[in-house]
Short mmCIF file of all heavy atoms in Angstrom, two decimals:
data_model
loop_
_atom_site.label_atom_id
_atom_site.label_comp_id
_atom_site.label_asym_id
_atom_site.label_seq_id
_atom_site.Cartn_x
_atom_site.Cartn_y
_atom_site.Cartn_z
N LEU A 404 12.11 75.10 -27.81
CA LEU A 404 13.42 75.65 -27.56
C LEU A 404 13.27 76.98 -26.94
O LEU A 404 12.53 77.86 -27.48
CB LEU A 404 14.18 75.59 -28.86
CG LEU A 404 14.40 74.35 -29.63
CD1 LEU A 404 15.19 74.68 -30.87
CD2 LEU A 404 15.15 73.31 -28.73
N GLN A 405 14.11 77.20 -25.99
CA GLN A 405 14.13 78.56 -25.26
C GLN A 405 15.50 78.92 -24.90
O GLN A 405 16.34 77.98 -24.68
CB GLN A 405 13.24 78.58 -24.06
CG GLN A 405 11.78 78.43 -24.19
CD GLN A 405 10.96 78.40 -22.91
OE1 GLN A 405 10.89 77.26 -22.34
NE2 GLN A 405 10.47 79.47 -22.50
N SER A 406 15.83 80.21 -24.98
CA SER A 406 17.20 80.63 -24.62
C SER A 406 17.45 80.51 -23.15
O SER A 406 16.53 80.08 -22.42
CB SER A 406 17.39 82.14 -25.00
OG SER A 406 16.48 82.97 -24.21
N SER A 407 18.72 80.62 -22.78
CA SER A 407 19.20 80.47 -21.47
C SER A 407 18.71 81.55 -20.49
O SER A 407 18.19 82.56 -20.84
CB SER A 407 20.68 80.28 -21.33
OG SER A 407 21.25 81.55 -21.54
N GLN A 408 19.13 81.43 -19.27
CA GLN A 408 18.84 82.53 -18.22
C GLN A 408 19.52 83.75 -18.60
O GLN A 408 19.18 84.84 -18.17
CB GLN A 408 19.19 81.97 -16.77
CG GLN A 408 18.38 80.74 -16.26
CD GLN A 408 16.83 81.22 -16.22
OE1 GLN A 408 16.46 82.23 -15.74
NE2 GLN A 408 16.06 80.24 -16.55
N ASN A 409 20.70 83.63 -19.16
CA ASN A 409 21.45 84.79 -19.58
C ASN A 409 21.45 85.19 -20.98
O ASN A 409 22.30 84.92 -21.84
CB ASN A 409 23.02 84.47 -19.23
CG ASN A 409 23.16 84.18 -17.64
OD1 ASN A 409 22.69 85.01 -16.79
ND2 ASN A 409 23.93 83.22 -17.33
N SER A 410 20.22 85.63 -21.43
CA SER A 410 20.07 86.05 -22.79
C SER A 410 19.34 87.42 -22.81
O SER A 410 18.77 87.89 -21.81
CB SER A 410 19.21 85.04 -23.53
OG SER A 410 18.02 84.83 -22.94
N ARG A 411 19.23 87.94 -24.09
CA ARG A 411 18.57 89.24 -24.29
C ARG A 411 18.15 89.26 -25.74
O ARG A 411 18.54 88.35 -26.49
CB ARG A 411 19.36 90.41 -23.81
CG ARG A 411 20.53 90.69 -24.60
CD ARG A 411 21.22 91.87 -24.30
NE ARG A 411 22.32 92.33 -25.16
CZ ARG A 411 23.22 93.23 -25.09
NH1 ARG A 411 23.09 94.08 -23.96
NH2 ARG A 411 24.10 93.52 -25.97
N VAL A 412 17.37 90.24 -26.21
CA VAL A 412 16.96 90.50 -27.52
C VAL A 412 17.47 91.84 -28.02
O VAL A 412 17.54 92.80 -27.40
CB VAL A 412 15.57 90.32 -27.76
CG1 VAL A 412 15.04 88.89 -27.52
CG2 VAL A 412 14.63 91.23 -27.08
N ALA A 413 17.97 91.89 -29.31
CA ALA A 413 18.34 93.10 -29.93
C ALA A 413 17.29 93.39 -31.12
O ALA A 413 17.21 92.48 -31.94
CB ALA A 413 19.77 93.05 -30.58
N PHE A 414 16.63 94.57 -31.13
CA PHE A 414 15.54 94.77 -32.03
C PHE A 414 16.21 95.42 -33.32
O PHE A 414 17.14 96.09 -33.26
CB PHE A 414 14.54 95.76 -31.42
CG PHE A 414 13.73 95.12 -30.29
CD1 PHE A 414 14.04 95.13 -28.98
CD2 PHE A 414 12.69 94.34 -30.71
CE1 PHE A 414 13.33 94.56 -28.02
CE2 PHE A 414 11.88 93.78 -29.69
CZ PHE A 414 12.20 93.84 -28.38
N ASN A 415 15.47 95.11 -34.41
CA ASN A 415 15.78 95.70 -35.83
C ASN A 415 15.60 97.14 -35.77
O ASN A 415 14.74 97.70 -35.16
CB ASN A 415 14.78 95.06 -36.70
CG ASN A 415 15.13 95.27 -38.12
OD1 ASN A 415 16.21 95.09 -38.54
ND2 ASN A 415 14.12 95.68 -38.99
N PRO A 416 16.61 97.78 -36.42
CA PRO A 416 17.83 97.38 -37.05
C PRO A 416 18.95 96.96 -36.12
O PRO A 416 19.18 97.78 -35.24
CB PRO A 416 18.31 98.34 -38.01
CG PRO A 416 17.80 99.68 -37.35
CD PRO A 416 16.52 99.28 -36.54
N VAL A 417 19.46 95.78 -36.24
CA VAL A 417 20.58 95.29 -35.36
C VAL A 417 21.90 95.33 -36.02
O VAL A 417 22.10 95.00 -37.16
CB VAL A 417 20.38 93.79 -35.05
CG1 VAL A 417 21.51 93.37 -33.95
CG2 VAL A 417 18.94 93.47 -34.43
N ASN A 418 22.81 96.11 -35.35
CA ASN A 418 24.15 96.21 -35.88
C ASN A 418 25.02 95.12 -35.53
O ASN A 418 25.33 94.86 -34.33
CB ASN A 418 24.78 97.60 -35.28
CG ASN A 418 26.17 97.76 -35.89
OD1 ASN A 418 26.46 97.41 -37.06
ND2 ASN A 418 27.13 98.36 -35.06
N ILE A 419 25.33 94.18 -36.46
CA ILE A 419 26.07 92.93 -36.07
C ILE A 419 27.59 93.26 -36.47
O ILE A 419 27.91 93.45 -37.70
CB ILE A 419 25.53 91.79 -36.91
CG1 ILE A 419 24.16 91.60 -36.48
CG2 ILE A 419 26.41 90.51 -36.58
CD1 ILE A 419 23.44 90.49 -37.51
N ASN A 420 28.46 93.43 -35.50
CA ASN A 420 29.81 93.80 -35.75
C ASN A 420 30.72 92.61 -35.18
O ASN A 420 30.39 92.11 -34.06
CB ASN A 420 30.03 95.07 -34.98
CG ASN A 420 31.31 95.72 -35.26
OD1 ASN A 420 32.40 95.00 -35.29
ND2 ASN A 420 31.32 96.87 -35.67
N MET A 421 31.83 92.29 -35.85
CA MET A 421 32.85 91.37 -35.27
C MET A 421 33.25 91.74 -33.91
O MET A 421 33.62 90.73 -33.25
CB MET A 421 33.97 91.19 -36.30
CG MET A 421 33.57 90.52 -37.62
SD MET A 421 32.87 88.81 -37.36
CE MET A 421 34.50 88.03 -36.95
N ASN A 422 33.34 92.91 -33.56
CA ASN A 422 33.76 93.35 -32.25
C ASN A 422 32.79 92.81 -31.10
O ASN A 422 33.11 92.85 -29.92
CB ASN A 422 33.84 94.94 -32.15
CG ASN A 422 35.07 95.43 -33.05
OD1 ASN A 422 35.91 94.69 -33.25
ND2 ASN A 422 34.81 96.59 -33.52
N LEU A 423 31.59 92.42 -31.64
CA LEU A 423 30.69 91.91 -30.49
C LEU A 423 31.13 90.58 -29.92
O LEU A 423 30.43 90.01 -28.95
CB LEU A 423 29.33 91.68 -31.11
CG LEU A 423 28.57 93.15 -31.43
CD1 LEU A 423 27.20 92.84 -32.18
CD2 LEU A 423 28.31 93.93 -30.20
N VAL A 424 32.18 89.97 -30.40
CA VAL A 424 32.63 88.78 -29.72
C VAL A 424 33.07 89.06 -28.29
O VAL A 424 33.04 88.13 -27.44
CB VAL A 424 33.93 88.16 -30.50
CG1 VAL A 424 33.48 87.56 -31.86
CG2 VAL A 424 34.99 89.17 -30.55
N GLN A 425 33.36 90.40 -28.01
CA GLN A 425 33.73 90.82 -26.59
C GLN A 425 32.59 90.54 -25.73
O GLN A 425 32.79 90.36 -24.51
CB GLN A 425 34.22 92.23 -26.65
CG GLN A 425 35.43 92.60 -27.50
CD GLN A 425 36.70 91.82 -26.87
OE1 GLN A 425 36.69 91.52 -25.71
NE2 GLN A 425 37.65 91.41 -27.76
N LEU A 426 31.37 90.63 -26.23
CA LEU A 426 30.25 90.41 -25.33
C LEU A 426 30.28 89.14 -24.64
O LEU A 426 29.97 88.93 -23.56
CB LEU A 426 28.95 90.65 -26.11
CG LEU A 426 28.43 92.04 -26.34
CD1 LEU A 426 27.14 91.95 -27.19
CD2 LEU A 426 27.93 92.68 -25.04
#
Side-chain angles (χ1 to χ4, degrees):
L404 298 180
Q405 293 178 278
S406 63
S407 75
Q408 296 296 316
N409 298 316
S410 62
R411 69 178 187 182
V412 294
F414 289 94
N415 188 49
V417 184
N418 180 34
I419 304 174
N420 193 308
M421 289 295 289
N422 293 328
L423 290 175
V424 293
Q425 296 295 331
L426 277 174

